[in-house]
Amino acid sequence: MNISSTRVRFAPSPTGHLHIGGARTALYNYLFARRNGGSMLLRIEDTDRNRYVEGSEEQLIKDLKWLGINWDEGPDVGGIHSPYTQSERTKLHRSHAEHLVNIGKAYYCFCNKARLKSIRSGYNKYDGHCRDTDTNITLQRVASGEEHTIRFRSPNRGTTTVNDLIRKNITVQNEQLEDFILFKSDGFPVYHLAAMVDDHVMGITHVIRGEEWLSSLAKHALIIRAFGWSEPVWCHLSVLKQPGGKGKMSKRDAKTEEHPDSHSIFVHDLRNRGFHPGAIINWMVLMGWSLDDKQEDFNLVDLEKVFDLERINPSPAAVNFGKLDHFQGKYVRQMSESEIAANIKPFLFKSGLEPDDTMMSKLVPLIKNRIVTFEDSVQWLSFFFKKEIILAPSDLVGKKSTIKETLVILQQVKLTLEQLPSLEHENIESKLRLLANKLDLKLGQLLNPVRLAISGQQVSPPLFETLEILGSDLVLDRIQEAIKLLEDIY
RNA sequence: GCCCCCAUCGUCUAGGGGACCAGGACGUGGGCCUUUCAAGCCCAAGACCGGAGUUCGAAUCUCCGUGGGGGCACCA
């Protein structure tokens, strides 16, 4: 085994759905590991039993895999450092906490929550009440089963300096630190201890995580130094901000009047909306990282070759859903038509439409430049499948037109189409162009009532192809229906 | 209240003392194309947070403001 090779981890807590902030952290870890020929681990940090959400671990794994982010070791695939679920490692954490007590770097604390609450009042730090109690006494109290925690003995003078890869040296005054808890009275470790122990034992070389950890970085470095271990390379990613750039990205669906182009920040919602994982990856990777001033289109394979921690931008990035749409549209346009068909199908079925493959192969070319998400296909195509379409007669009449004119147009078009042996779009086009000419109308003026009559919509895929696919029975029926409606109000 | 981080077009960013009256992308406005809507192509508007300092020279280095963000638990 090459013990010097790069090892990174994504270590989420199973408290809810994966959102794009977490996904982006996972992505950066994954890419960095692949770039360096190293290993990526997934570790579930579930030491807070109160916040545990049933099923979220499975969902998280599903979402990551869907995005194409994989790992070499983890709770689902195992590995030489199993288990990868933190709550199953508490014995290890406990023994490490006790070791710190033995070497004088930590101590048992018997203060109850009521007392802590009373001394804290506001932002006061722990007063060190149990810090200097005689060891023989504390050991006895622990042995007798008295409820206790283990606290880290923080230095109260001097400074602690830690180096972050993209932020350089970060120095804190030690007097700012308190004797924080390493091990809780419920028998579980606190994150600070558990993560550092696991990272060390699992051979993690680079810790790439969110900015929210920056303020406890000194604690983590102090723990590692107390054990006498060497530190990983630290790399703290900035947070993601709301679309407008004001405030932290919020978990609620951000689609509002202010941000009409917004989407949910949860990966599984994006998936259900019909986004392609590749588009999401391309979009996410650029929030806080760039290669240069030339290339913005990347797929996972590209990124695995060029991703670099040094080019991460430390300043917070606002989420821009418009750009997600852009990458998604681009993705669709470069996909093959059969691929698009395969992606669209589930959405059509979900809406109760039942396309077969030959139908799909005719339809996809008409909409592939018009859809953004795969879900969009539903509104473009549903009138092809419905038995009846709902029409308001007034919609049939264009703004600059009259009921009479519209009626004439529809009647003439119907007549023209009836005379065709079969509906082929080239043929329809030449005949209707002639008709427009004859009636002294622009082609658009002639076509719009027809579009409405057969689709029920102001906008539709290109009309001539649409008529061909619909077939003459349906087309003539719908035009006749529209004529009837107009006659009723005329 | 205290600590820490960050600061280039509306947004994502390039830039790392002279190559910058600051480049690209999304979005926006306009044009071309056109049967609607798109797609595509072309054009345009649009930024170095403020103030000191260092320097022959500052978007770039330093300091101070200001603004934004993160954190200060027997949460992660």
Side-chain angles (χ1 to χ4, degrees), chain A residues 345-379:
Chain A
K345 251 172 135 175
F347 289 96
L348 297 179
F349 279 118
K350 211 160 68 185
S351 305
L353 312 178
E354 290 173 10
D356 60 62
D357 287 347
T358 38
M359 188 72 166
M360 287 299 284
S361 65
K362 292 179 194 162
L363 259 18
V364 169
L366 302 189
I367 60 163
K368 68 172 187 178
N369 285 341
R370 281 162 247 266
I371 59 170
V372 176
T373 71
F374 298 122
E375 189 185 47
D376 291 344
S377 59
V378 174
Q379 60 195 117

Side-chain angles (χ1 to χ4, degrees), chain A residues 71 204 218 226 232 252 260 283 311 317 341 357 386 390 428 439 457:
Chain A
W71 44 95
I204 300 302
R252 76 196 120 85
W283 174 61
R311 293 196 60 84
D357 287 347
K386 286 180 183 159
I390 298 152
I428 300 169
L439 298 176
Q457 299 171 357

Side-chain angles (χ1 to χ4, degrees), chain A residues 5-199:
Chain A
S5 74
T6 302
R7 290 173 65 82
V8 298
R9 84 314 198 260
F10 176 55
S13 52
T15 53
H17 286 296
L18 179 69
H19 60 74
I20 56 178
R24 181 252 230 152
T25 303
L27 175 64
Y28 284 7
N29 273 284
Y30 168 81
L31 293 174
F32 183 67
R34 287 291 172 270
R35 170 73 198 273
N36 291 287
S39 299
M40 162 83 168
L41 331 204
L42 177 68
R43 188 174 70 222
I44 303 297
E45 313 233 315
D46 59 344
T47 53
D48 182 4
R49 294 163 310 157
N50 297 324
R51 297 206 310 161
Y52 185 79
V53 175
E54 195 66 45
S56 58
E57 181 182 331
E58 291 72 17
Q59 185 61 239
L60 190 105
I61 287 174
K62 219 168 100 186
D63 288 342
L64 287 170
K65 291 208 180 274
W66 178 71
L67 285 170
I69 298 170
N70 294 298
W71 44 95
D72 307 290
E73 299 168 32
D76 57 333
V77 292
I80 51 170
H81 297 292
S82 272
Y84 292 88
T85 301
Q86 208 158 54
S87 61
E88 295 167 18
R89 305 172 63 83
T90 49
K91 265 192 212 137
L92 184 74
H93 302 136
R94 179 71 192 189
S95 65
H96 278 81
E98 284 172 356
H99 178 249
L100 288 182
V101 174
N102 292 339
I103 61 173
K105 305 280 191 176
Y107 59 90
Y108 294 107
C109 174
F110 302 93
C111 296
N112 60 32
K113 286 178 185 165
R115 194 186 103 79
L116 292 178
K117 202 174 172 188
S118 74
I119 57 167
R120 206 168 281 283
S121 72
Y123 292 99
N124 293 327
K125 55 185 207 177
Y126 176 63
D127 62 357
H129 183 260
C130 298
R131 186 178 169 108
D132 297 314
T133 310
D134 187 85
T135 332
N136 292 325
I137 298 170
T138 59
L139 248 25
Q140 246 171 36
R141 292 174 71 175
V142 169
S144 74
E146 188 172 344
E147 192 164 273
H148 64 276
T149 62
I150 298 176
R151 284 183 186 271
F152 188 76
R153 196 183 296 275
S154 291
N156 37 32
R157 291 165 184 282
T159 60
T160 299
T161 297
V162 192
N163 188 268
D164 179 276
L165 187 65
I166 57 177
R167 295 163 204 267
K168 291 174 270 183
N169 281 168
I170 293 163
T171 300
V172 300
Q173 303 293 317
N174 287 338
E175 60 189 359
Q176 295 294 331
L177 270 22
E178 70 167 357
D179 286 354
F180 56 92
I181 288 171
L182 295 170
F183 210 90
K184 298 181 273 182
S185 61
D186 68 357
F188 284 89
V190 153
Y191 172 88
H192 305 308
L193 196 240
M196 292 313 108
V197 169
D198 289 344
D199 283 349

